[in-house]
Amino acid sequence: DGSAPAVFSVGSAPTPTRMPLLQLLNYIDGRPVASRSTARTEVVDPATGEAYASAPDSGEADVDAAMTAALAAFNSFKRTTPSQRQGFLLKIASAIEAHADELARLECKNCGKPFLLTLDEEIAAAVDQIRFFAGAARQLEGRAAGEYMEGLLSMIVREPVGVCAAVTPWNYPLMMAVWKWAPALAAGNTVVLKPSDTTPVSTLRMAELMGAILPSGVFNVVCGRRETGRLLVEHAVPSLVSITGSVRAGREVAASAAPLLKRVHLELGGKAPVVVFADADLETAAADIAVAAYFNAGQDCTAATRVVVEAAAYETMVALLAREAEQNTKLGSATTMDSEGVLVGPLNSRAQLERVKGFFDRLPPHARVVAGGRPAGGRGFFFEPSVVAGLRQEDEMVQEEIFGPVITVQPFADEAAAVAMANGVQYGLASSVWTSDHARALRCCRAFDFGTVWVNTHIPLVAEMPHGGFKQSGGGKDLSAYGFEEYTRVKHVMSKL
């Protein structure tokens, strides 16, 4: 209807140099709620570098209120039938679809994303994922009931785990929230979610849309910084903690959850190898890799940013990737983020811009910047699409997650070396292999130590298939029936006949 959502209010009187900031509220027990903490955090538009909203930096009292509401709601929500929960999720999916433009606008201003890409690739995908979990609510499977001991009938019951605490990242705030609350609610749990302190806006609006459909207390949002997240994780109420974030954040969450032996679901960082053999279609590979690397300004744990190329094709691939970065990849600006064809937006924050710049400041002498390598200049936190060649396996750019629009390129001698280089990082989230040799592709799929392996493509995700990593990339799966089961517990019931 065009009116301002209730989770927003206008405050902070304007000055000659500053517009009033939107005052964001928490969402607890089915309604927007002012924080009991007076601390606030500014929310900045990354495309302009200007603050436009203020969010609560919630404290213990806020977290406790959200947990109390979620626990009270769980006592009845856990008794709902699968068909009832399916109905809730389908209505939410339709509500988000009906407000797709609005949510995309909020997401873009908060994250600096290109509008058309966000509408088509993120909001639409989130709606599809909610509908998948709506169907999954009625498809839980277990071992068949049977008489495994004479005179005693055994059966398996899958139950919701309870209240789930969720912490979401700043790169895909709306979609990552969906990945957590959709399977949790489908299984009969209730949720308290903390979005990133830099990107709370779309999550709060989504919570309001959900609140018009769900019983009060089933879904709650508490804003804040790292300390708020710690309070969520350490609170006595939640039985499961789910986070998407950095390896550092995952370790902190696991440590905070350990005293009460809470279940943890960790989707952490990545450093995806993109292994290209000389027999691949190099032109097509370079074009596809560039899109998979620069999408969301490279701020994606699965981004195709670590390219490893067979020596015979190395220089050709370096040149092709440089051409993609300089000629075929459209970088946005503070005034063009709605333009058609824009692929690369700004980085999330000034801190992230400085972090990416720091990798270039520390480049070793043997590295060669063949495209980009510097901030774009002007307003906002834009960084040029970049390609760096000449790197060695031990170099920082190869080993550490950059989280920016940067492709590194390394040569390899043979298949064994390619596998060793692909696996030679602490991460194990996603990978790809590019070749026209089917047997070789399957050998690489077997050898790569990553939760996802793509063949002659990189980055597509579907709701029906699991997403999750190995090693320092965490444990547990998102999406799919496997992701759904993460939010359930198994009970054995045995009855005398």
Side-chain angles (χ1 to χ4, degrees), residues 338-352:
D338 284 1
S339 301
E340 189 171 356
V342 172
L343 176 65
V344 183
L347 297 171
N348 172 259
S349 62
R350 186 170 301 282
Q352 186 62 18

Side-chain angles (χ1 to χ4, degrees), residues 88-437:
F88 287 134
L89 265 66
L90 290 175
K91 289 178 181 177
I92 293 170
S94 295
I96 291 175
E97 192 170 51
H99 290 81
D101 275 24
E102 176 196 356
L103 289 166
R105 292 287 177 194
L106 294 174
E107 190 84 335
C108 291
K109 188 172 182 64
N110 203 174
C111 304
K113 296 173 182 282
F115 173 71
L116 295 174
L117 268 181
T118 303
L119 187 63
D120 294 342
E121 300 292 337
E122 296 186 37
I123 307 300
V127 169
D128 177 70
Q129 290 152 6
I130 296 166
R131 288 175 174 151
F132 169 81
F133 284 114
R138 302 179 74 164
Q139 294 294 322
L140 266 180
E141 297 178 352
R143 188 182 302 275
E147 196 172 341
Y148 298 99
M149 182 178 291
E150 186 176 350
L152 296 167
L153 178 67
S154 286
M155 65 190 77
I156 294 295
V157 179
R158 278 201 177 267
E159 299 179 333
V161 297
V163 175
C164 300
V167 179
T168 52
W170 46 256
N171 57 338
Y172 297 105
L174 187 141
M175 185 183 291
M176 293 301 99
V178 166
W179 284 21
K180 297 188 184 307
W181 67 251
L185 269 55
N189 304 286
T190 58
V191 175
V192 178
L193 185 146
K194 188 198 86 67
S196 168
D197 59 288
T198 64
T199 56
V201 179
S202 61
T203 304
L204 287 169
R205 179 59 176 137
M206 179 169 59
E208 189 168 58
L209 294 174
M210 294 168 65
I213 296 165
L214 292 168
S216 296
V218 170
F219 183 65
N220 308 273
V221 178
V222 178
C223 299
R225 299 179 190 265
R226 187 183 301 179
E227 175 63 14
T228 309
R230 185 188 65 78
L231 291 170
L232 246 71
V233 174
E234 293 183 356
H235 199 279
V237 165
S239 301
L240 180 147
V241 176
S242 177
I243 177 176
T244 298
S246 66
V247 173
R248 173 202 54 76
R251 288 171 180 156
E252 290 178 359
V253 165
S256 294
L260 295 179
L261 297 178
K262 294 178 183 178
R263 285 170 58 175
V264 292
H265 179 276
L266 306 174
E267 199 276 272
L268 309 178
K271 193 69 182 175
V274 182
V275 177
V276 182
F277 287 90
D279 65 351
D281 180 337
L282 299 182
E283 295 246 359
T284 299
D288 291 351
I289 290 166
V291 172
Y294 298 138
F295 185 84
N296 205 37
Q299 298 170 123
D300 189 309
C301 296
T302 65
T305 54
R306 184 165 65 100
V307 179
V308 184
V309 188
E310 191 168 7
Y314 176 70
E315 291 298 340
T316 300
M317 181 56 74
V318 169
L320 289 171
L321 289 171
R323 185 182 70 184
E324 291 296 327
E326 294 176 336
Q327 300 178 24
N328 298 336
T329 301
K330 191 171 182 180
L331 175 66
S333 69
T335 59
T336 63
M337 293 306 295
D338 284 1
S339 301
E340 189 171 356
V342 172
L343 176 65
V344 183
L347 297 171
N348 172 259
S349 62
R350 186 170 301 282
Q352 186 62 18
L353 179 67
E354 290 301 317
R355 184 178 186 277
V356 174
K357 182 177 176 292
F359 279 92
F360 285 88
D361 294 341
R362 297 186 298 272
L363 271 178
H366 53 265
R368 178 165 50 105
V369 179
V370 296
R374 57 187 179 272
R379 291 195 298 161
F381 310 132
F382 294 88
F383 200 92
E384 294 179 350
S386 304
V387 178
V388 182
L391 290 164
R392 299 169 185 168
Q393 187 69 16
E394 66 273 14
D395 288 336
E396 180 188 31
M397 267 198 177
V398 171
Q399 291 296 321
E400 300 297 329
E401 191 172 34
I402 301 171
F403 236 53
V406 182
I407 295 175
T408 64
V409 196
Q410 301 167 259
F412 68 82
D414 54 28
E415 187 176 319
V419 169
M421 293 170 72
N423 290 339
V425 294
Q426 65 176 322
Y427 303 99
L429 184 58
S431 59
S432 63
V433 57
W434 302 71
T435 178
S436 60
D437 185 330

